[in-house]
Amino acid sequence: MPVLTYLEAIRQGIWEEMERDDSVFLLGEDIGVYGGAFKVTAGMLEKFGADRVIDTPISESAIVGAAVGAALVGMRPVVEMQFMDFIACGFDQIVNMAAKIHYRWGPAVPMVIRGPSGAGVHGGPYHSQSNEMWFVHTPGLKVVMPSTAYDAKGLIKASIRDDNPVIFYEHKFLYRRIKDEVPETDYVVPLGKARVAREGTDLTVITYGAMVWTAIEAATELEKEGISMEVVDLRTLLPYDEEAVLASVRKCSKVLLLHEDTRTGGMAGELAALIGEKAFQDLDGPIVRVTAPDTPVPFAPPLEEYFLPNAKKVAEAARKLAAY
Amino acid sequence: MPVLTYLEAIRQGIWEEMERDDSVFLLGEDIGVYGGAFKVTAGMLEKFGADRVIDTPISESAIVGAAVGAALVGMRPVVEMQFMDFIACGFDQIVNMAAKIHYRWGPAVPMVIRGPSGAGVHGGPYHSQSNEMWFVHTPGLKVVMPSTAYDAKGLIKASIRDDNPVIFYEHKFLYRRIKDEVPETDYVVPLGKARVAREGTDLTVITYGAMVWTAIEAATELEKEGISMEVVDLRTLLPYDEEAVLASVRKCSKVLLLHEDTRTGGMAGELAALIGEKAFQDLDGPIVRVTAPDTPVPFAPPLEEYFLPNAKKVAEAARKLAAY
Amino acid sequence: MRRFTLRPLNRGAALKGRHKVDDAALVKMLYALKLTREAESRIENVLYRQGKIVGGVYTGRGQEAIGVGSAIQLAEGDWVLPSHRDFSSFFLRGFSLRQIMANWMARANTPTRGRDNTLHLGDLNLRVIPIISPLGDTLPVACGVAMALKRRGQRRVVLVHFGEGTTSRGDVHEAMNMAAVMQLPVVFICNNNGYAYSTPATQQFLVNKLSVRGPAYGMVGFTVDGNDVLAVYEAVRHAISHARKGLGPTFIECKTFRMAGHSAHDAAEYVPREVLEREAKNDPIPRFELTLLGSRVVTHQDLQDLEQKIRDEIDDAVAYAESSPEPEGSTAVEGVLCGADCWWKKPIDRDEQRLASATASRELHGTDD
Amino acid sequence: MRRFTLRPLNRGAALKGRHKVDDAALVKMLYALKLTREAESRIENVLYRQGKIVGGVYTGRGQEAIGVGSAIQLAEGDWVLPSHRDFSSFFLRGFSLRQIMANWMARANTPTRGRDNTLHLGDLNLRVIPIISPLGDTLPVACGVAMALKRRGQRRVVLVHFGEGTTSRGDVHEAMNMAAVMQLPVVFICNNNGYAYSTPATQQFLVNKLSVRGPAYGMVGFTVDGNDVLAVYEAVRHAISHARKGLGPTFIECKTFRMAGHSAHDAAEYVPREVLEREAKNDPIPRFELTLLGSRVVTHQDLQDLEQKIRDEIDDAVAYAESSPEPEGSTAVEGVLCGADCWWKKPIDRDEQRLASATASRELHGTDD
Ligand SMILES: Cc1ncc(C[n+]2csc(CCOP(=O)(O)OP(=O)(O)O)c2C)c(N)n1
Ligand SMILES: Cc1ncc(C[n+]2csc(CCOP(=O)(O)OP(=O)(O)O)c2C)c(N)n1
Ligand SMILES: [Mg+2]
Ligand SMILES: [Mg+2]
């Protein structure tokens, strides 16, 4: 099987869907001639033409709104945000227009908004944000974040085929760092299904995105100390896989919630509530969060390093919890 | 002491701050001649002049951005959103500009964005939203929601005096329904401090905004059945009063988390994580959420009623939890 | 039937052509105008006061000619995104009065199933995409619809309506610029009714004619008398034909007046009395009646008959709405996501609507296009 | 010293006046131009390649005349909100080269304390409010600053810079409209450098001259040669004096060219070679040098001395930055909220900056204003 980077896997997934379904088209800034700031859409203009790979003005709100309009009349637009940080500029169209149409009057709104998010590359406060929770808290959307190349392809394809607006977070730190065997065949990874990224028994860490790798690194470290940590990769944040989360918590009885996003109001809270309500009896220890602190993402490497969760911090928290 | 409605208390608070501090001024749509869609700013144009009560074009993003600019040069702008639903149109300026300036390069950004939120008046999906969590998840902001007239005045005054951008949610259902004795003297209710709205011992419900009244109604009902339910009113959602939450949970050992906002990614999650981590040993039962379901706010009365938490739903959940 | 010749309404401007509208279309316009006025009056002045309307009431009193003069020209495959006061667009696109009325009463058998209010009514079959409250949000959506139509090589157009106050929103700018640079078949129809809630247009922008905004994006801009249904018709006709030829968007400012408060609870005391009195004389409906009477397209008897017919239709719609069921509370949680159980795919009562739609489009094909 | 007479640069347009700029100011402009070019070259071509710069690098190569021709005219109480390529504005407002350089290297002793990157440098004492990455966001902020200045009755102005691509953002529209309708003392300075990242201006908007956007809001709009520092000076001078008189905002489009990739990692292969070659001949710095040499304001020896001085200053700044400490990781969590422990209130190394500021403003007072 060919080995692809996370980025190439996304490209291949979009490419295949463009080939498969003529109603799929791309909208975004610098995605055509330039192939996108990170080159995710490289080659697509040449292959699919300017009709289907549309370079837009710098108008995030109109881009999202236009995607909604096109989706309403039967297209499947895929929007690129040059950085997910700028999704804030198209926010209203996402939460008020796209998310609510189906509920309000029925039509499907099949569209994807995708782009790079996350820190670790010294991008500073505006090229590093994790802002998935705004959308996890918006009924009517789906929110997806792959951690592997295999999933990246399977999830982008599933997202494009989905009949709802999907916010698809690509972690820029993984773009070229993560490689995987990725089948050339047509497969999807279903939305709403988590996966166990690593089996364990003593405690489980529920996470997603780049932090899956951090968790695995910590688990590998902990294994040497005789602590067996399971790693659950949510893959889809909305709707998230309650069953998989609860199953892992029931199995391990101790749970660590990990994300790169800031703490207050983060995904860990949502999971804590689920677990506190539905797996309370199964818990043998406190529900522990490992997250970024409540600050903007700082720029300078020492600051960013302090800000980001890493394997050391995860292992420390896990050791304490395991010993509880 | 004069009895004021929640709305009048807010008006009085703003009025007093305008009198006290010349740098306070108002920006918003229809707030001058008309006195605001809900008449919160009625009389202010006449009293303080068009220099300080500025009717703007329908430009939420520019309104917020302008408030930031004015705040940077020493003013204390108070922005009205005609409905908090439309804050989505000024979202980027709030989360990317206002919230991050102090962290990034130091200045104080003393400004308030206030307006009516919440459901219960058949306003439909766009005049009923509770969208506080977007901001609770944005480091650099403060988020406030009073439930009583007394607090409304004290909190709006504290918000205006605060050196940070404060998002101030007024619950429109309470505007004219809630009355209180409100001192004419100058007082503030400090941000970041919760209050026990009703003492209890068997379980506690942590909530805020209009749901405080729902909780009290349920508690009154439960009292007849011999169940003693404490009600904690958060008042400030960011930064929220961890100590007060934990104290009440420790005291009652059972906790119910209640909000009008939708469930996934709501405030209850954040509180569940705090409690699950820091009060795990004190818990004698699962952490239970009573919230609106994950849907837009529906319009028709039977739908809206089904959507909203009410005393009956709270009491039911509380009974189950008390019996656990 | 005699033909009625449109006056060239914007002398010297780009509106040079003359165009004939047949009597049937003229009568249909009058019908739509009067029906809109009467239905909205019933809603605001009767049903609302009786407590039968759920939520707030916004009407288009005084500006009905804009929706009528534009929607009447649409072919079946064209799209419209009405403003929050564009009752007539819904009607002319084929929504039944019954459904519209039922939605004002928050009933279950409407396109929103009681989930959304006022004129937030959409139907893909009728090619109407409803407004949402955040003003200006429909303009980018109109661009997206137009992109799709253009890509398919369909010579279809998209009309989008909005108020002068809405022009201050960033989305309006982004959409107009995008439509221009991509040469999309969109007609931007701005109703300048003098006020945005209590805010006069003079506090909204500094320009006298909003139509200057057109050239700022490289598109044609017109300012027309929005209280003259034929002036609107003529401007929109040019814009539609321009768009169908692939020549891109047009911006049309229709000067009009909001002959009511912002909503039913607003007495509009901020509007100077002289302005109200002056504008009362400029009511588009009597103006058009006089035109049609004067040119003998209709008689006084015709008008009386029409009024009776309209009253009957409204009575019927009100009765239908009042006897319609409210939605079941528990349906509130259905259909948030579109999936296997997608509520949209379940049949709802659309028969009437389809019928009306078919009729409307048949009639429309009578007009030159 | 001789006086240098500005050519009337935009014949027939609103720029009618002639204005004298004294030699000292002319030399200062040349100094700022050359320093900007040289410092940015060092950053992009040397330090970045050496891995000493943290994060991406955006420079203003080719468009330095816009920042210089405008910032040079500001009085101490005026404000500027530079674009992401406006190095010269920072320098002319009194930021020390050392601080700017230290920020490119993510050091602790900068106004951002290493928290933000590139030219996201702000200082209230120097009256510079930095850009944030979401393009266009500073324009509404500029309006708010202007509102406050206006309310205080101060005859101060606010300059805000942005690229032609940025004009597509809704915030730009909302701000320009607001500034016009409220008659705020803002000068909107758009640098049209032909590209927004890889997107040519022709795909950004359909108009030839962005200055038509001015009248669309009821404000004056100019298009000037942005590679002619004196043309920029003249247009901005008019706009500033207009604003100081309380006559409201002006929109100035400065036509220029981005003589580099979007950022250091972009080879800009999408720019046609002929365009690059043509534009290379239009470099604003040699043009201005020739002007000053021709009118004998400077000699070749002066230029050499100036270049040496600039190299020395940059060497000093680089050495300073390299020897500056990185921030302590744990400070990342400080000062999210402004409270008792507000980090802003703690002293940071501003002395140098103040000094520079005082010097700059003293020099500025030498120029006619
Ligand atoms: C983004 C946004 N801000 C504010 C409002 C509240 N609001 C509803 S209608 C209205 C006035 C609209 O004026 P205009 O666009 O002229 O339309 P008109 O009501 O006059 O038809 C306002 C401010 C809103 N719906 N959306
Ligand atoms: C809202 C937003 N969208 C996209 C970007 C990514 N981006 C950074 S610079 C740039 C091009 C800006 O073009 P222009 O305004 O012409 O300024 P220039 O870079 O040419 O000076 C883009 C698209 C951004 N920073 N903000
Ligand atoms: Mg209006
Ligand atoms: Mg540019």
Side-chain angles (χ1 to χ4, degrees):
Chain A
M1 235 185 284
V3 171
L4 298 188
T5 62
Y6 180 92
L7 187 151
E8 288 162 346
I10 296 166
R11 184 189 298 139
Q12 190 171 92
I14 299 171
W15 194 287
E16 287 179 12
E17 292 305 299
M18 297 273 285
E19 280 186 325
R20 205 181 65 86
D21 180 350
D22 188 57
S23 68
V24 179
F25 75 103
L26 313 182
L27 268 176
E29 296 157 15
D30 307 295
I31 61 169
V33 174
Y34 197 66
F38 286 88
K39 304 288 179 192
V40 172
T41 57
M44 298 206 188
L45 176 70
E46 295 73 12
K47 167 77 179 175
F48 300 104
D51 253 21
R52 294 183 67 195
V53 183
I54 302 177
D55 271 327
T56 65
I58 302 173
S59 303
E60 281 74 8
S61 195
I63 294 168
V64 175
V68 171
L72 283 174
V73 300
M75 310 296 287
R76 293 191 172 269
V78 179
V79 165
E80 173 169 303
M81 288 283 150
Q82 200 157 88
F83 285 83
M84 277 306 220
D85 307 67
F86 309 134
I87 205 169
C89 301
F91 190 75
D92 170 55
Q93 286 283 354
I94 300 173
V95 301
N96 279 327
M97 182 64 80
K100 296 183 179 32
I101 284 180
H102 178 66
Y103 185 80
R104 291 169 47 241
W105 58 286
V109 184
M111 58 184 274
V112 175
I113 301 175
R114 50 157 290 276
S117 83
V121 301
H122 318 323
Y126 299 107
H127 292 79
S128 309
Q129 293 176 49
S130 296
N131 51 30
E132 57 270 15
M133 285 310 290
W134 296 331
F135 306 110
V136 169
H137 189 54
T138 303
L141 302 177
K142 294 191 177 181
V143 180
V144 175
M145 193 181 308
S147 70
T148 67
Y150 179 91
D151 282 357
K153 177 174 168 185
L155 287 168
I156 189 72
K157 286 166 69 85
S159 298
I160 293 172
R161 293 184 199 177
D162 199 273
D163 276 341
N164 300 281
V166 178
I167 317 292
F168 189 90
Y169 284 89
E170 302 165 5
H171 202 296
K172 68 176 79 66
F173 187 81
L174 303 183
Y175 266 153
R176 296 187 168 87
R177 283 186 182 80
I178 292 298
K179 282 182 194 179
D180 233 346
E181 297 206 328
V182 175
E184 279 171 301
T185 55
D186 179 32
Y187 68 95
V188 295
V189 172
L191 304 191
K193 291 282 169 226
R195 78 185 170 102
V196 175
R198 183 187 166 107
E199 300 264 357
T201 50
D202 295 334
L203 79 167
T204 181
V205 51
I206 321 277
T207 188
Y208 58 92
M211 285 296 127
V212 170
W213 300 102
T214 304
I216 289 174
E217 193 188 332
T220 311
E221 193 55 36
L222 291 166
E223 192 170 43
K224 296 178 201 153
E225 305 167 22
I227 300 171
S228 164
M229 183 163 81
E230 181 147 303
V231 178
V232 176
D233 176 0
L234 287 174
R235 301 202 287 199
T236 299
L237 302 185
L238 185 72
Y240 66 93
D241 190 342
E242 291 195 10
E243 279 324 305
V245 171
L246 293 173
S248 185
V249 171
R250 287 191 184 118
K251 172 179 169 196
C252 302
S253 304
K254 288 178 177 172
V255 59
L256 211 141
L257 305 169
L258 168 66
H259 53 65
E260 179 184 320
D261 191 6
T262 55
R263 173 166 296 223
T264 303
M267 189 68 195
E270 174 56 30
L271 297 169
L274 173 80
I275 295 164
E277 182 153 9
K278 304 226 172 120
F280 176 70
Q281 291 171 306
D282 305 289
L283 282 178
D284 282 346
I287 301 170
V288 178
R289 286 191 277 189
V290 180
T291 70
D294 286 331
T295 79
V297 186
F299 163 55
L303 300 176
E304 193 181 24
E305 200 188 316
Y306 188 88
F307 170 88
L308 283 174
N310 57 29
K312 196 164 148 259
K313 297 175 198 174
V314 174
E316 245 163 58
R319 267 181 220 112
K320 259 196 240 164
L321 182 57
Y324 182 91
Chain B
M1 236 187 282
V3 171
L4 298 187
T5 62
Y6 180 93
L7 187 151
E8 288 162 346
I10 296 166
R11 183 188 299 140
Q12 191 172 90
I14 298 171
W15 194 287
E16 287 179 11
E17 293 306 297
M18 296 274 283
E19 281 186 322
R20 206 181 64 86
D21 180 350
D22 188 58
S23 67
V24 179
F25 75 104
L26 313 183
L27 269 175
E29 295 157 14
D30 307 295
I31 60 169
V33 174
Y34 197 66
F38 286 88
K39 304 288 180 192
V40 172
T41 57
M44 297 204 188
L45 177 68
E46 295 74 11
K47 167 77 179 175
F48 300 105
D51 253 20
R52 295 183 66 194
V53 183
I54 303 178
D55 271 328
T56 64
I58 302 173
S59 303
E60 280 75 9
S61 195
I63 295 169
V64 175
V68 171
L72 282 175
V73 299
M75 310 296 287
R76 293 191 172 269
V78 178
V79 164
E80 174 169 301
M81 289 283 150
Q82 201 157 88
F83 285 84
M84 276 307 218
D85 306 66
F86 309 134
I87 204 167
C89 301
F91 190 75
D92 169 56
Q93 287 282 354
I94 299 174
V95 301
N96 279 328
M97 183 64 81
K100 297 185 180 28
I101 284 181
H102 178 64
Y103 185 79
R104 292 170 47 241
W105 58 286
V109 185
M111 58 183 276
V112 175
I113 301 176
R114 49 156 291 275
S117 83
V121 301
H122 317 322
Y126 298 107
H127 292 77
S128 310
Q129 293 175 48
S130 294
N131 52 29
E132 57 269 16
M133 284 313 287
W134 296 332
F135 306 109
V136 169
H137 189 54
T138 303
L141 302 177
K142 294 191 177 183
V143 180
V144 175
M145 192 179 311
S147 70
T148 66
Y150 179 91
D151 282 357
K153 177 173 168 185
L155 288 168
I156 190 70
K157 286 166 69 83
S159 298
I160 293 172
R161 294 184 200 177
D162 200 90
D163 275 342
N164 299 282
V166 178
I167 318 292
F168 189 90
Y169 284 88
E170 302 165 5
H171 203 295
K172 67 175 80 65
F173 187 82
L174 303 184
Y175 266 155
R176 296 185 169 87
R177 283 185 182 82
I178 293 297
K179 282 183 191 175
D180 233 347
E181 295 205 329
V182 175
E184 281 173 301
T185 56
D186 178 32
Y187 69 94
V188 296
V189 172
L191 303 191
K193 290 282 169 224
R195 79 187 168 101
V196 177
R198 184 185 164 108
E199 299 265 356
T201 51
D202 295 334
L203 80 167
T204 181
V205 49
I206 321 277
T207 189
Y208 58 92
M211 285 296 127
V212 170
W213 300 102
T214 304
I216 289 174
E217 194 188 331
T220 311
E221 192 56 35
L222 291 166
E223 192 170 42
K224 296 179 200 153
E225 305 168 21
I227 299 171
S228 165
M229 184 164 81
E230 180 146 303
V231 178
V232 175
D233 175 0
L234 287 174
R235 303 202 285 200
T236 298
L237 302 184
L238 185 74
Y240 66 93
D241 190 343
E242 291 195 11
E243 278 324 304
V245 170
L246 292 172
S248 185
V249 171
R250 287 190 183 120
K251 174 180 169 195
C252 302
S253 304
K254 288 179 178 173
V255 61
L256 210 142
L257 304 169
L258 168 66
H259 52 67
E260 178 184 319
D261 191 4
T262 55
R263 171 166 300 223
T264 303
M267 190 68 195
E270 173 57 28
L271 297 169
L274 173 80
I275 295 164
E277 182 153 8
K278 303 225 173 123
F280 177 71
Q281 291 171 305
D282 305 291
L283 282 177
D284 281 347
I287 301 170
V288 178
R289 285 191 278 187
V290 180
T291 70
D294 286 331
T295 79
V297 186
F299 164 55
L303 300 175
E304 192 180 23
E305 201 189 316
Y306 188 88
F307 171 88
L308 283 174
N310 57 29
K312 196 164 147 261
K313 297 177 198 174
V314 174
E316 245 164 58
R319 268 181 219 110
K320 258 197 241 165
L321 183 57
Y324 183 91
Chain C
M1 274 230 221
R2 274 157 304 110
R3 309 284 285 184
F4 184 82
T5 302
L6 288 189
R7 292 159 293 153
L9 292 141
N10 213 16
R11 291 176 199 86
L15 296 179
K16 296 235 184 62
R18 281 166 184 259
H19 178 71
K20 289 183 190 284
V21 182
D22 67 29
D23 284 4
L26 292 170
V27 170
K28 184 167 168 115
M29 285 195 242
L30 185 65
Y31 169 45
L33 284 169
K34 288 174 76 73
L35 179 118
T36 298
R37 172 69 57 90
E38 193 59 29
E40 291 197 324
S41 297
R42 187 81 66 95
I43 291 165
E44 180 163 12
N45 302 322
V46 181
L47 300 166
Y48 178 75
R49 313 288 163 200
Q50 290 172 343
K52 289 181 179 164
I53 300 295
V54 182
V57 170
Y58 310 82
T59 72
R61 189 179 187 87
Q63 57 193 71
E64 299 92 339
I66 300 163
V68 172
S70 52
I72 190 110
Q73 307 184 56
L74 293 178
E76 205 185 346
D78 296 330
W79 290 78
V80 61
L81 295 89
S83 89
H84 54 296
R85 303 189 190 279
D86 276 328
F87 190 101
S88 60
S89 290
F90 292 90
F91 173 68
L92 285 170
R93 282 266 82 183
F95 275 85
S96 77
L97 210 51
R98 287 178 162 196
Q99 283 202 322
I100 300 175
M101 204 57 88
N103 208 64
W104 282 105
M105 298 192 195
R107 304 302 160 128
N109 51 350
T110 80
T112 78
R113 290 184 154 196
R115 290 158 181 232
D116 204 350
N117 54 6
T118 62
L119 290 175
H120 291 201
L121 291 165
D123 192 315
L124 293 179
N125 292 319
L126 304 178
R127 296 190 173 75
V128 175
I129 297 175
I131 199 166
I132 62 172
S133 302
L135 296 162
D137 278 24
T138 43
L139 282 84
V141 175
C143 291
V145 173
M147 266 179 215
L149 303 179
K150 190 179 174 183
R151 157 122 191 263
R152 293 185 193 138
Q154 294 168 321
R155 293 175 64 248
R156 300 305 183 197
V157 301
V158 184
L159 308 191
V160 56
H161 293 269
F162 48 101
E164 91 294 340
T166 302
T167 62
S168 301
R169 280 273 346 273
D171 281 37
V172 171
H173 166 73
E174 293 192 2
M176 285 177 61
N177 181 57
M178 183 178 276
V181 78
M182 296 189 185
Q183 291 285 286
L184 301 174
V186 181
V187 184
F188 294 98
I189 305 177
C190 176
N191 64 76
N192 180 350
N193 64 6
Y195 285 87
Y197 210 147
S198 73
T199 305
T202 48
Q203 276 184 268
Q204 198 72 237
F205 42 77
L206 203 60
V207 292
N208 284 322
K209 290 194 173 189
L210 271 175
S211 49
V212 295
R213 294 274 163 89
Y217 300 105
M219 70 172 94
V220 181
F222 297 135
T223 293
V224 299
D225 179 353
N227 283 18
D228 178 345
V229 69
L230 297 176
V232 173
Y233 184 100
E234 187 64 7
V236 173
R237 194 178 68 83
H238 275 83
I240 288 178
S241 115
H242 190 76
R244 283 212 209 286
K245 286 181 201 138
L247 299 174
T250 300
F251 178 87
I252 303 174
E253 176 192 27
C254 301
K255 290 254 194 192
T256 182
F257 186 72
R258 195 189 72 200
M259 292 176 67
H262 169 67
S263 68
H265 72 263
D266 170 21
E269 280 154 8
Y270 46 82
V271 182
R273 177 171 296 273
E274 341 46 287
V275 175
L276 285 172
E277 282 166 7
R278 187 187 69 221
E279 293 293 342
K281 295 184 195 127
N282 194 25
D283 187 327
I285 300 184
R287 275 179 65 182
F288 192 51
E289 278 178 356
L290 279 181
T291 304
L292 294 197
L293 286 168
S295 56
R296 305 230 172 84
V297 177
V298 295
T299 64
H300 283 285
Q301 184 59 44
D302 291 342
L303 286 186
Q304 277 175 28
D305 294 348
L306 187 60
E307 282 158 14
Q308 187 57 48
K309 172 174 146 70
I310 285 170
R311 271 193 303 272
D312 292 346
E313 288 176 330
I314 294 172
D315 289 345
D316 167 76
V318 171
Y320 173 86
E322 290 194 79
S323 67
S324 292
E326 287 191 300
E328 270 301 325
S330 63
T331 64
V333 294
E334 290 171 14
V336 176
L337 290 173
C338 183
D341 64 336
C342 187
W343 72 264
W344 184 53
K345 290 171 185 163
K346 295 183 199 161
I348 63 165
D349 178 22
R350 287 181 188 241
D351 285 343
E352 223 188 83
Q353 209 169 288
R354 280 225 192 74
L355 199 70
S357 167
T359 319
S361 73
R362 230 177 300 116
E363 289 177 23
L364 284 167
H365 283 273
T367 70
D368 154 309
D369 178 51
Chain D
M1 276 234 220
R2 273 156 306 108
R3 310 283 287 182
F4 183 81
T5 302
L6 288 190
R7 291 160 295 153
L9 293 143
N10 214 16
R11 290 174 201 88
L15 296 177
K16 296 235 185 60
R18 287 173 178 253
H19 177 73
K20 289 184 190 281
V21 182
D22 68 26
D23 284 4
L26 292 170
V27 171
K28 187 170 165 108
M29 285 194 242
L30 185 66
Y31 169 44
L33 284 168
K34 289 175 75 73
L35 179 118
T36 298
R37 172 69 56 90
E38 193 59 30
E40 292 197 324
S41 299
R42 186 81 67 94
I43 291 166
E44 179 163 13
N45 302 323
V46 181
L47 300 166
Y48 178 75
R49 313 287 162 199
Q50 290 172 345
K52 290 182 178 161
I53 301 295
V54 182
V57 171
Y58 311 82
T59 72
R61 188 178 187 87
Q63 57 193 72
E64 299 92 339
I66 300 164
V68 172
S70 52
I72 190 111
Q73 306 184 57
L74 293 178
E76 206 183 345
D78 296 330
W79 291 78
V80 63
L81 295 88
S83 90
H84 53 295
R85 302 189 192 280
D86 276 329
F87 190 102
S88 61
S89 290
F90 292 90
F91 174 68
L92 285 170
R93 281 268 81 183
F95 276 86
S96 77
L97 209 52
R98 287 178 161 196
Q99 284 201 322
I100 300 174
M101 204 59 87
N103 208 63
W104 281 104
M105 298 192 195
R107 303 301 161 129
N109 51 350
T110 81
T112 79
R113 288 182 156 201
R115 291 159 179 229
D116 203 349
N117 55 4
T118 60
L119 290 175
H120 291 200
L121 291 166
D123 192 315
L124 293 179
N125 292 319
L126 303 178
R127 296 189 172 75
V128 175
I129 297 174
I131 199 166
I132 62 173
S133 302
L135 296 162
D137 278 25
T138 42
L139 280 83
V141 175
C143 290
V145 173
M147 265 179 214
L149 303 179
K150 189 179 174 185
R151 158 123 191 265
R152 293 183 192 140
Q154 292 169 323
R155 293 176 64 248
R156 299 303 183 198
V157 301
V158 184
L159 308 190
V160 57
H161 293 269
F162 49 100
E164 90 296 339
T166 301
T167 63
S168 301
R169 282 273 345 272
D171 281 38
V172 171
H173 166 73
E174 293 194 2
M176 284 178 61
N177 181 57
M178 183 177 275
V181 77
M182 296 188 184
Q183 291 285 285
L184 301 174
V186 181
V187 183
F188 294 99
I189 305 177
C190 176
N191 62 76
N192 182 348
N193 63 7
Y195 285 85
Y197 210 142
S198 73
T199 305
T202 49
Q203 276 182 269
Q204 198 73 240
F205 43 77
L206 203 60
V207 292
N208 283 324
K209 288 192 172 191
L210 271 175
S211 49
V212 295
R213 295 273 163 89
Y217 301 105
M219 70 171 94
V220 180
F222 297 133
T223 292
V224 299
D225 178 352
N227 283 17
D228 177 345
V229 67
L230 297 177
V232 173
Y233 185 100
E234 187 66 7
V236 174
R237 195 177 67 84
H238 275 83
I240 288 179
S241 114
H242 190 78
R244 284 211 209 287
K245 286 182 200 137
L247 299 174
T250 300
F251 178 87
I252 302 173
E253 177 191 29
C254 301
K255 292 254 194 192
T256 183
F257 186 73
R258 195 189 70 199
M259 292 177 65
H262 169 67
S263 67
H265 72 264
D266 170 22
E269 280 155 9
Y270 47 81
V271 181
R273 177 170 296 270
E274 5 11 311
V275 175
L276 285 172
E277 281 165 9
R278 185 186 68 220
E279 293 292 343
K281 295 184 197 129
N282 195 24
D283 188 326
I285 300 184
R287 275 178 66 182
F288 191 52
E289 278 178 356
L290 280 181
T291 305
L292 295 197
L293 286 168
S295 55
R296 306 230 171 83
V297 176
V298 294
T299 65
H300 284 283
Q301 184 59 48
D302 291 342
L303 286 185
Q304 277 177 28
D305 294 349
L306 188 59
E307 281 156 15
Q308 188 54 51
K309 172 175 146 73
I310 286 169
R311 273 193 300 273
D312 292 346
E313 286 175 330
I314 295 171
D315 289 345
D316 167 76
V318 171
Y320 173 87
E322 291 195 78
S323 68
S324 291
E326 286 191 300
E328 269 300 324
S330 63
T331 63
V333 294
E334 290 172 14
V336 176
L337 290 173
C338 182
D341 63 338
C342 186
W343 74 261
W344 185 54
K345 289 170 185 163
K346 294 184 200 159
I348 63 164
D349 178 23
R350 288 181 186 242
D351 284 344
E352 221 186 86
Q353 206 168 288
R354 281 227 189 76
L355 198 70
S357 165
T359 319
S361 72
R362 230 177 301 117
E363 289 177 21
L364 284 167
H365 283 272
T367 69
D368 151 313
D369 180 49

